Coordinates of all heavy atoms in Angstrom, one line a residue:
D1361 N -64.3 171.3 -147.9 CA -63.2 171.8 -148.7 C -63.1 173.3 -148.6 O -62.0 173.9 -148.6 CB -63.4 171.4 -150.2 CG -63.2 169.9 -150.4 OD1 -62.6 169.3 -149.6 OD2 -63.7 169.4 -151.5
A1362 N -64.2 174.0 -148.5 CA -64.2 175.4 -148.4 C -63.7 175.8 -147.0 O -62.9 176.8 -147.0 CB -65.7 176.0 -148.5
L1363 N -64.0 175.1 -146.0 CA -63.5 175.4 -144.7 C -62.0 175.1 -144.7 O -61.2 175.9 -144.1 CB -64.1 174.5 -143.6 CG -65.6 174.8 -143.3 CD1 -66.2 173.8 -142.4 CD2 -65.7 176.2 -142.6
A1364 N -61.5 174.1 -145.4 CA -60.1 173.8 -145.4 C -59.3 174.9 -146.1 O -58.2 175.2 -145.8 CB -59.9 172.4 -146.1
A1365 N -60.0 175.5 -147.1 CA -59.3 176.5 -147.9 C -59.0 177.7 -147.1 O -58.0 178.4 -147.4 CB -60.2 176.9 -149.2
V1366 N -59.8 178.0 -146.1 CA -59.6 179.1 -145.2 C -59.0 178.8 -143.9 O -59.0 179.6 -142.9 CB -60.9 179.9 -145.1 CG1 -61.4 180.5 -146.4 CG2 -62.0 179.1 -144.4
G1367 N -58.6 177.5 -143.7 CA -57.9 177.1 -142.5 C -58.9 176.9 -141.3 O -58.5 177.0 -140.2
A1368 N -60.1 176.6 -141.6 CA -61.1 176.4 -140.5 C -61.6 175.0 -140.3 O -62.3 174.7 -139.4 CB -62.3 177.3 -140.8
R1369 N -61.2 174.1 -141.2 CA -61.7 172.7 -141.1 C -61.3 172.0 -139.8 O -62.2 171.3 -139.2 CB -61.2 171.9 -142.3 CG -61.8 170.5 -142.3 CD -61.5 169.8 -143.6 NE -61.9 168.4 -143.6 CZ -62.0 167.6 -144.7 NH1 -61.6 168.1 -145.9 NH2 -62.4 166.4 -144.6
T1370 N -60.1 172.3 -139.4 CA -59.7 171.6 -138.2 C -60.5 171.9 -137.0 O -61.0 171.0 -136.3 CB -58.2 172.0 -137.9 OG1 -57.4 171.6 -139.0 CG2 -57.7 171.2 -136.6
W1371 N -60.8 173.2 -136.7 CA -61.5 173.5 -135.5 C -63.0 173.2 -135.6 O -63.7 172.9 -134.6 CB -61.3 175.0 -135.1 CG -61.8 176.0 -136.0 CD1 -61.1 176.7 -136.9 CD2 -63.2 176.5 -136.1 NE1 -61.9 177.6 -137.6 CE2 -63.1 177.6 -137.1 CE3 -64.3 176.3 -135.5 CZ2 -64.3 178.3 -137.5 CZ3 -65.5 176.9 -135.9 CH2 -65.4 177.9 -136.9
V1372 N -63.5 173.2 -136.9 CA -64.9 172.8 -137.1 C -65.1 171.3 -136.7 O -66.1 170.9 -136.1 CB -65.4 173.2 -138.5 CG1 -66.8 172.5 -138.7 CG2 -65.5 174.7 -138.7
E1373 N -64.2 170.5 -137.2 CA -64.3 169.1 -137.0 C -64.0 168.7 -135.6 O -64.3 167.6 -135.1 CB -63.3 168.3 -137.9 CG -63.7 168.4 -139.4 CD -62.8 167.6 -140.3 OE1 -61.7 167.3 -139.9 OE2 -63.3 167.3 -141.5
Q1374 N -63.5 169.6 -134.8 CA -63.2 169.3 -133.4 C -64.5 169.6 -132.5 O -64.5 169.2 -131.3 CB -62.0 170.1 -132.8 CG -60.7 169.6 -133.3 CD -59.6 170.6 -132.9 OE1 -59.8 171.7 -132.4 NE2 -58.3 170.1 -133.2
L1375 N -65.5 170.3 -133.2 CA -66.7 170.6 -132.4 C -67.5 169.3 -132.3 O -67.4 168.4 -133.2 CB -67.5 171.6 -133.2 CG -66.8 173.0 -133.3 CD1 -67.7 173.9 -134.2 CD2 -66.6 173.6 -132.0
T1376 N -68.3 169.2 -131.3 CA -69.1 168.0 -131.0 C -70.0 167.7 -132.2 O -70.2 166.5 -132.7 CB -70.0 168.1 -129.8 OG1 -69.1 168.4 -128.7 CG2 -70.7 166.8 -129.5
G1377 N -70.7 168.7 -132.7 CA -71.7 168.5 -133.8 C -71.0 168.8 -135.2 O -71.7 168.6 -136.2
Q1378 N -69.8 169.1 -135.2 CA -69.1 169.4 -136.5 C -70.0 170.4 -137.3 O -70.3 171.5 -136.8 CB -68.8 168.2 -137.2 CG -67.8 167.3 -136.5 CD -67.2 166.2 -137.4 OE1 -67.4 166.1 -138.6 NE2 -66.6 165.2 -136.7
L1379 N -70.3 170.1 -138.5 CA -71.1 171.0 -139.4 C -72.5 171.3 -138.8 O -73.1 172.3 -139.1 CB -71.3 170.5 -140.8 CG -70.0 170.5 -141.7 CD1 -70.2 169.8 -143.0 CD2 -69.5 171.9 -141.9
D1380 N -73.0 170.4 -138.0 CA -74.3 170.5 -137.4 C -74.3 171.3 -136.1 O -75.3 171.4 -135.4 CB -75.0 169.2 -137.2 CG -75.3 168.5 -138.5 OD1 -75.7 169.2 -139.4 OD2 -75.0 167.2 -138.6
T1381 N -73.2 171.9 -135.7 CA -73.1 172.6 -134.4 C -73.9 174.0 -134.6 O -73.7 174.7 -135.6 CB -71.7 172.9 -134.1 OG1 -71.0 171.7 -134.0 CG2 -71.6 173.7 -132.8
T1382 N -74.8 174.2 -133.7 CA -75.5 175.5 -133.8 C -74.7 176.6 -133.2 O -74.2 176.5 -132.1 CB -76.9 175.4 -132.9 OG1 -77.6 174.2 -133.5 CG2 -77.7 176.6 -133.1
V1383 N -74.7 177.7 -134.0 CA -73.9 178.9 -133.6 C -74.8 180.1 -133.6 O -75.9 180.0 -134.1 CB -72.6 179.1 -134.5 CG1 -71.7 177.9 -134.4 CG2 -73.1 179.2 -136.0
G1384 N -74.2 181.2 -133.2 CA -75.0 182.4 -133.2 C -75.4 182.9 -131.9 O -75.1 182.2 -130.9
S1385 N -76.2 183.9 -131.8 CA -76.7 184.5 -130.5 C -77.4 183.4 -129.7 O -78.3 182.8 -130.2 CB -77.6 185.7 -130.8 OG -78.0 186.2 -129.5
G1386 N -76.9 183.2 -128.4 CA -77.6 182.3 -127.6 C -77.0 180.9 -127.7 O -77.5 179.9 -127.0
H1387 N -76.1 180.6 -128.6 CA -75.6 179.3 -128.8 C -74.1 179.4 -128.8 O -73.5 180.3 -128.2 CB -76.1 178.7 -130.2 CG -77.6 178.6 -130.3 ND1 -78.3 177.6 -129.7 CD2 -78.5 179.4 -130.8 CE1 -79.6 177.8 -129.9 NE2 -79.7 178.9 -130.5
L1388 N -73.3 178.5 -129.5 CA -71.9 178.6 -129.5 C -71.4 179.9 -130.1 O -71.8 180.3 -131.2 CB -71.3 177.4 -130.3 CG -69.8 177.4 -130.4 CD1 -69.1 177.2 -129.0 CD2 -69.3 176.3 -131.4
A1389 N -70.6 180.6 -129.3 CA -70.1 181.9 -129.8 C -68.7 181.7 -130.5 O -67.8 181.2 -129.9 CB -70.0 182.9 -128.6
L1390 N -68.6 182.1 -131.7 CA -67.4 182.0 -132.5 C -66.5 183.2 -132.2 O -67.0 184.3 -131.9 CB -67.7 181.9 -133.9 CG -68.5 180.7 -134.4 CD1 -68.6 180.7 -135.9 CD2 -67.9 179.4 -133.9
T1391 N -65.2 183.0 -132.2 CA -64.3 184.2 -132.0 C -64.4 185.0 -133.3 O -64.9 184.6 -134.3 CB -62.9 183.7 -131.9 OG1 -62.4 183.1 -133.0 CG2 -62.8 182.7 -130.7
P1392 N -64.0 186.3 -133.2 CA -64.0 187.1 -134.5 C -63.2 186.5 -135.6 O -63.7 186.5 -136.8 CB -63.4 188.4 -134.0 CG -63.7 188.5 -132.5 CD -63.6 187.1 -132.1
G1393 N -62.1 185.8 -135.3 CA -61.4 185.2 -136.3 C -62.1 184.0 -137.0 O -62.1 183.8 -138.2
Q1394 N -62.8 183.2 -136.1 CA -63.5 182.1 -136.6 C -64.7 182.6 -137.4 O -65.0 182.0 -138.5 CB -64.0 181.2 -135.5 CG -62.9 180.5 -134.7 CD -63.4 179.7 -133.5 OE1 -64.4 180.2 -132.9 NE2 -62.7 178.7 -133.1
A1395 N -65.3 183.6 -137.0 CA -66.5 184.1 -137.8 C -66.1 184.6 -139.1 O -66.7 184.4 -140.1 CB -67.2 185.2 -137.0
Q1396 N -64.9 185.3 -139.2 CA -64.4 185.7 -140.4 C -64.0 184.6 -141.4 O -64.2 184.7 -142.6 CB -63.2 186.7 -140.2 CG -62.8 187.5 -141.4 CD -63.8 188.6 -141.8 OE1 -65.0 188.3 -141.9 NE2 -63.3 189.8 -141.9
Q1397 N -63.5 183.5 -140.8 CA -63.2 182.4 -141.6 C -64.5 181.8 -142.2 O -64.4 181.3 -143.4 CB -62.5 181.3 -140.7 CG -61.0 181.7 -140.5 CD -60.4 180.7 -139.5 OE1 -60.9 180.3 -138.5 NE2 -59.2 180.2 -139.9
V1398 N -65.5 181.7 -141.4 CA -66.8 181.2 -142.0 C -67.3 182.1 -143.1 O -67.7 181.7 -144.2 CB -67.9 181.2 -140.9 CG1 -69.3 180.9 -141.5 CG2 -67.5 180.1 -139.9
A1399 N -67.1 183.5 -143.0 CA -67.5 184.4 -144.0 C -66.7 184.2 -145.3 O -67.2 184.2 -146.4 CB -67.3 185.8 -143.5
L1400 N -65.4 183.9 -145.1 CA -64.5 183.7 -146.2 C -64.8 182.3 -146.9 O -64.7 182.2 -148.1 CB -63.1 183.7 -145.8 CG -62.5 185.1 -145.4 CD1 -61.1 185.0 -144.8 CD2 -62.5 186.1 -146.6
A1401 N -65.2 181.3 -146.1 CA -65.6 180.1 -146.7 C -66.9 180.2 -147.5 O -67.0 179.5 -148.6 CB -65.9 179.1 -145.6
R1402 N -67.8 181.1 -147.1 CA -69.0 181.4 -148.0 C -68.5 181.9 -149.3 O -69.1 181.6 -150.4 CB -69.9 182.5 -147.3 CG -70.6 182.0 -146.1 CD -71.5 183.1 -145.7 NE -72.0 183.0 -144.3 CZ -72.0 183.9 -143.4 NH1 -71.6 185.1 -143.7 NH2 -72.4 183.7 -142.1
L1403 N -67.5 182.8 -149.3 CA -66.9 183.3 -150.5 C -66.4 182.2 -151.4 O -66.6 182.2 -152.7 CB -65.8 184.4 -150.2 CG -65.1 184.9 -151.4 CD1 -66.0 185.8 -152.2 CD2 -63.9 185.8 -150.8
V1404 N -65.7 181.3 -150.8 CA -65.2 180.1 -151.6 C -66.3 179.4 -152.3 O -66.2 179.1 -153.5 CB -64.4 179.1 -150.6 CG1 -64.0 177.9 -151.4 CG2 -63.3 179.8 -150.0
L1405 N -67.4 179.2 -151.6 CA -68.6 178.5 -152.2 C -69.3 179.3 -153.3 O -69.7 178.8 -154.3 CB -69.5 178.1 -151.1 CG -69.0 177.1 -150.1 CD1 -69.9 177.0 -148.9 CD2 -69.0 175.7 -150.7
A1406 N -69.3 180.7 -153.1 CA -69.9 181.5 -154.1 C -69.2 181.5 -155.4 O -69.8 181.7 -156.5 CB -70.0 183.0 -153.6
D1407 N -67.9 181.4 -155.3 CA -67.0 181.2 -156.5 C -67.1 182.3 -157.6 O -67.3 182.1 -158.7 CB -67.3 179.8 -157.2 CG -66.2 179.4 -158.2 OD1 -65.1 179.8 -157.9 OD2 -66.5 178.7 -159.1

């Protein structure tokens, strides 16, 4: 729901591992926009 609120749910669910996809240095590299969406989704959860 948090990912959907920031428009990121679609591309996350298209990943092979979805929520279990490993990201970060040495793994799947997110675009600046995707990384910012993840940061905003954290904000949604912090409430």
Side-chain angles (χ1 to χ4, degrees):
D1361 289 342
L1363 290 170
V1366 297
R1369 180 169 179 170
T1370 300
W1371 65 260
V1372 169
E1373 291 184 341
Q1374 290 175 350
L1375 299 174
T1376 303
Q1378 297 190 14
L1379 289 174
D1380 293 319
T1381 302
T1382 302
V1383 294
S1385 178
H1387 301 280
L1388 177 65
L1390 301 182
T1391 66
Q1394 290 173 332
Q1396 193 69 308
Q1397 286 176 310
V1398 172
L1400 292 172
R1402 291 187 197 130
L1403 174 66
V1404 173
L1405 294 165
D1407 195 27

